[in-house]
Amino acid sequence: MRLFCLPALAITAASIAIAAGTAPLVVCPNTVELVNKEAHQQLVAEFSTDGFDTDATAKATWKSSNPKVASVSASGLVSPVGDGDATITAAYNGTSATTAIRVKNSQAPFTWSFRNHVTPVLTKMGCNQGACHGATAGKNGFKLSLRGYDPETDYDTLTRVAVARRVSLSDPQNSLMLLKPSFTIPHGGGQRFKKDSLEYRVILEWISAGAPAPAAEDATVRSLELFPKTATLHPGEEQQFVVRARYSDGHAEDVTRWVKFASTNEGTATVDNWGKAKATGAGEAAITVYYQSRVLYARVISPYTAQIASADWNNLPQKNFIDKLVLDKLKRLNIAPSKTCTDSEFIRRAFLDATGILPTAGEVEEFLAGKDPAKREKLVDSLLQRDEFVDYWAYKWSDLMLVSSKKLNRTAVFSFYDWIHQSVKDNKPWDQFAREIFISTGSTRSNGALNYFVIHKDPIDISENASEAFLGQRITCARCHNHPLEKWTQKQYYQMANLFSRVGLKDGDPGDVTVYAKTSGDVEHPRLRKALAPAPLDAPPLSLDAPDDRRVVFANWLTSSDNPYFAKNVVNRVWGNFMGRGIVHPVDDLRSTNPASNEELLAALADDFVQSRYNVKQLIRTIMTSGTYQLSSEANASNKDDNIYYSKYIVKRLPAEVILDAYSELTGVPTDFPEYPAGTRALQLPDSRVQSPFLTVFGRPERNICDSSERSSDATISQALHIINGDTLNKKLSNPQSSVGMFLKLGLSDQRIFELLTLSAFSRYPTEQEKQTITGLLAKSEQTGATSEAKRDLHRQALEDVVWALATSKEFLFNH
């Protein structure tokens, strides 16, 4: 076949994209309404080809269809000229795109708003930040609310306090509010803006207009829009982001100039103060924006450059919906998944992640010898039915509920723990689990769930704990001011807290408290000095006079299928347990400026969880039977740096309680806990304050706060010394009833003993090299003894050393 070309025809990426039915050039936002003479809109021209985006804004040719209505600069900035409609066209690389413009009130008088213009200027310039006048004590006698969360008080401070010297209505240009930040006179904060800047003009013209105060009828921000929402860039390329605010009166404004920008991963992308991002390396970063207590983010993606064969994508078998969503993400980032783990790795991993125990040598041998292609799924099903599964998850939820004798006596501890344990055993739906806590009344002895209110007696404490435990929302910052990283305001915080102001507690016998709903009592907003109508976060308020049990209102909202946080919170926590990292990380920080590493995956898991009627066991089974969970922890060339997108199993150190129980399993010697029956495992302890130096050193949480960071998995010198010189492991090894003693009594060969120990510790058979090395050392140990008894003692000590070496190895202490 003869190939030919037409020299006069330029076949570009744009023409190919058009032929394929896609638009290579897009202008955003695609509709604009300018509602006053000061309204402007920066447009962004996005050109896409070969899966990558190019910010063509500065390179495009811009044209207005009606310059008498709207003008457009060479950089894509649209300005109003006269009322009417126009179309702005951008042309780039042989293609074009348009956006519709409508201009209104272009000749009408206009006054800058203190709430919507002056305060954002002060925020962007840093005047009301924590390092300046937004500090708790202010600076040099001048204090503003942090990030302008209280414009009414700020207005009074600027126009009334200090003999009103900060604002001069008679001589606006000599207002301290302008002289200091422009550095016309000395200013400790340095120059914040220049005299020829828009910032200066906004404040000057506001003062010249009589410095109008913020009013109740002022339009307020309802939401933000961010353009573009996603940009896939080559390293080194830049992308301008544009932010538009939508207000309560229906109008929208370009607020890009006043927004606070940040990047969640500067190794992938940085962003300057004006919203221009730059791809700095491979990966994904969220560009977060904060404006008037509203937050949003866009994503910058810069795929890795590894050469990946098409067959490598088959390393991740498609067992359920998890695998498709994970693989889609990996393909976008050009990260190949690792291969599937071995049966040895899977059985050990599954036992530890689901039940917190090691499989026995016999269970491992049986599993490894099995030929059933569905044996992994059947193993998962069997683990979900084990008593150890119940113990493990009862312990995890007890961590979350802060079950501890610090605030409960022994009777109450057991009452609360037994309720949690039975809930796990019954596979109680998670929404029912939550509802039983918040809608119940009566005796804490007969209804253990009510001990939640004994631990958390203060409405503030209940509100903060419930938000973090059941919603993954850390709202504590909003106690004093609007949240700096979320949309929650101080008013919303105290409305939430007021839901729990009428929880009554009446003491009875020791360990028995009656919980009931009171008919009066409110939490006052500390700044407004009045009670606010109680309301869950982002939900309609309840009347202050309503006779309803406010906890029921909270429970109904909490467990509603429309609640965007409840299902995602528990799904993320469970996922983090099995995968070593939450889809949102940390697992209890689901704020808007901490986006999920795979939003589609988190949403799909949450939807599936809701559809299953909040079935935790089904959620666990879905995760464990996925191809993603069964990937090897061994990295390949493309995913060696990935611990975010689940291209491989993330190696993680075992929790303190699991290590201690594993030592008991490996040595055959249980741990003694004061006042608990012999044989009680660490994961069966209802109280986190049971004395155990080992658990303390290895990071057991005290259950003082509802925060995942309270549990530590960091390696320390104290841990190493405890293993080397401490009693915990060494006493188990020297115990006459240990597994070593049992093996010797049975007369097993050194090779078989080592084989059983390796199966017990690592869920695998020893390699030939390991066998030769260890059996050789064991044989030599006997040769140094002068008598038969001495030989036996030396041989046993050598075997104990082998167990010690296994128990202190990385392969033992980590799940992989």
Side-chain angles (χ1 to χ4, degrees), residues 341-408:
C341 68
T342 65
D343 282 345
S344 291
E345 291 168 335
F346 180 75
I347 186 173
R348 187 177 192 271
R349 178 188 301 178
F351 262 82
L352 289 170
D353 282 340
T355 65
I357 62 171
L358 290 168
T360 65
E363 288 171 324
V364 173
E365 288 190 301
E366 181 181 357
F367 185 74
L368 296 183
K371 303 299 182 185
D372 187 345
K375 66 180 182 179
R376 294 192 180 192
E377 289 77 7
K378 291 180 179 178
L379 174 65
V380 171
D381 290 335
S382 68
L383 291 175
L384 297 180
Q385 303 307 316
R386 293 182 66 131
D387 291 339
E388 293 90 349
F389 172 88
V390 178
D391 295 337
Y392 180 76
W393 287 93
Y395 196 94
K396 287 191 73 68
W397 300 140
S398 294
D399 276 353
L400 188 65
M401 297 295 106
L402 306 184
V403 180
S404 165
S405 56
K406 181 177 182 179
K407 294 185 177 180
L408 300 174

Side-chain angles (χ1 to χ4, degrees), residues 123 129 146-150 260 289-295 464 467-468 472-493 537 588-594:
T123 301
Q129 300 301 302
L146 188 64
R147 288 174 294 277
Y149 75 91
D150 186 0
K260 286 285 188 180
V289 300
Y290 177 95
Y291 180 74
Q292 292 210 55
S293 295
R294 293 291 185 271
V295 293
E464 291 180 1
S467 297
E468 188 162 351
Q473 295 290 317
R474 301 177 179 181
I475 65 172
T476 304
C477 288
R479 189 193 304 179
C480 301
H481 47 72
N482 290 359
H483 202 298
L485 301 172
E486 253 294 3
K487 62 181 179 179
W488 311 127
T489 66
Q490 190 182 33
K491 289 182 179 180
Q492 285 179 298
Y493 178 95
L537 300 173
D588 47 9
D589 191 13
L590 272 66
R591 57 185 158 84
S592 298
T593 51
N594 184 34

Side-chain angles (χ1 to χ4, degrees), residues 294-330:
R294 293 291 185 271
V295 293
L296 199 61
Y297 67 89
R299 289 190 182 273
V300 170
I301 301 170
S302 188
Y304 289 83
T305 57
Q307 295 295 319
I308 298 175
S310 58
D312 291 341
W313 302 116
N314 298 329
N315 288 344
L316 178 50
Q318 302 291 286
K319 294 180 177 291
N320 59 39
F321 68 87
I322 289 175
D323 304 318
K324 180 186 182 303
L325 295 170
V326 169
L327 190 61
D328 287 347
K329 186 76 171 187
L330 296 179

Side-chain angles (χ1 to χ4, degrees), residues 539-596:
L542 182 70
S543 169
L544 279 170
D545 300 326
D548 312 59
D549 184 342
R550 295 175 178 180
R551 293 178 306 150
V552 175
V553 174
F554 172 75
N556 290 340
W557 168 80
L558 178 69
T559 59
S560 167
S561 60
D562 296 330
N563 189 317
Y565 312 108
F566 181 70
K568 287 182 178 179
N569 171 61
V570 68
V571 160
N572 193 52
R573 290 180 185 275
V574 173
W575 179 272
N577 173 83
F578 288 96
M579 303 304 297
R581 178 188 176 93
I583 304 173
V584 175
H585 185 76
V587 294
D588 47 9
D589 191 13
L590 272 66
R591 57 185 158 84
S592 298
T593 51
N594 184 34

Side-chain angles (χ1 to χ4, degrees), residues 346 350 354 380 383-384 578 620-626 629-630:
F346 180 75
V380 171
L383 291 175
L384 297 180
F578 288 96
I620 291 173
R621 188 183 191 281
T622 301
I623 294 171
M624 293 184 72
T625 56
S626 69
Y629 178 70
Q630 297 176 40

